[in-house]
Amino acid sequence: MTHDTLSSLLERLQVPILPPKLKAATVRYRFKLGSSEQWDILLNQGRLSLDQTKGRPDCLVDCTADEFGAVLSGQHNLLTSFMRGDLRIQGTLAAAKLLYTFLRYAHLGEVKV
């Protein structure tokens, strides 16, 4: 996945209404995609964005590039992918839960009734 593709995908994950806990959160995630590719993503004030500072992550997610794209795009659910063993999560449970909750809100906004 290229930097521009990932930036575009994260930009589309806009959530107009979030719980206060998500709006106040600042959490750094590191997604390891195989042995050579990794992306740091920051959840800050209710927005996901690429993070270039390379600080210590609060949560490490290890998965394939395909699974990474599927989870961020809403094709796969983060919790379901974890339970299937398609991705592994290390770090605080609270950080993983915030990402799960953010993605659920983001993808609910895409549903057309």
Side-chain angles (χ1 to χ4, degrees), residues 27 50 60-61 72 77 87-88:
V27 184
L50 282 174
L60 175 67
V61 181
L72 288 182
N77 179 292
L87 59 81
R88 286 151 306 285

Side-chain angles (χ1 to χ4, degrees), residues 22 27 29 31 41 43 48 59 61 71-72 78 89 93-105:
L22 268 173
V27 184
Y29 300 95
F31 289 86
I41 295 177
L43 173 62
L48 282 180
C59 187
V61 181
V71 166
L72 288 182
L78 181 72
I89 298 174
L93 181 60
K97 185 178 177 185
L98 285 171
L99 180 61
Y100 168 78
T101 303
F102 177 87
L103 291 172
R104 295 290 292 169
Y105 272 90

Side-chain angles (χ1 to χ4, degrees), residues 8-46:
S8 175
L9 179 60
L10 294 176
E11 194 65 32
R12 286 189 304 238
L13 290 174
Q14 300 296 320
V15 184
I17 300 173
L18 285 172
K21 189 173 188 173
L22 268 173
K23 284 184 177 181
T26 300
V27 184
R28 180 186 317 274
Y29 300 95
R30 180 163 296 146
F31 289 86
K32 288 184 66 176
L33 313 178
S35 60
S36 61
E37 187 178 10
Q38 72 180 23
W39 296 101
D40 282 11
I41 295 177
L42 187 66
L43 173 62
N44 187 25
Q45 297 179 342

Side-chain angles (χ1 to χ4, degrees), residues 74-88:
Q75 294 172 341
H76 291 175
N77 179 292
L78 181 72
L79 181 59
T80 304
S81 293
F82 173 74
M83 297 298 283
R84 278 194 317 250
D86 293 339
L87 59 81
R88 286 151 306 285

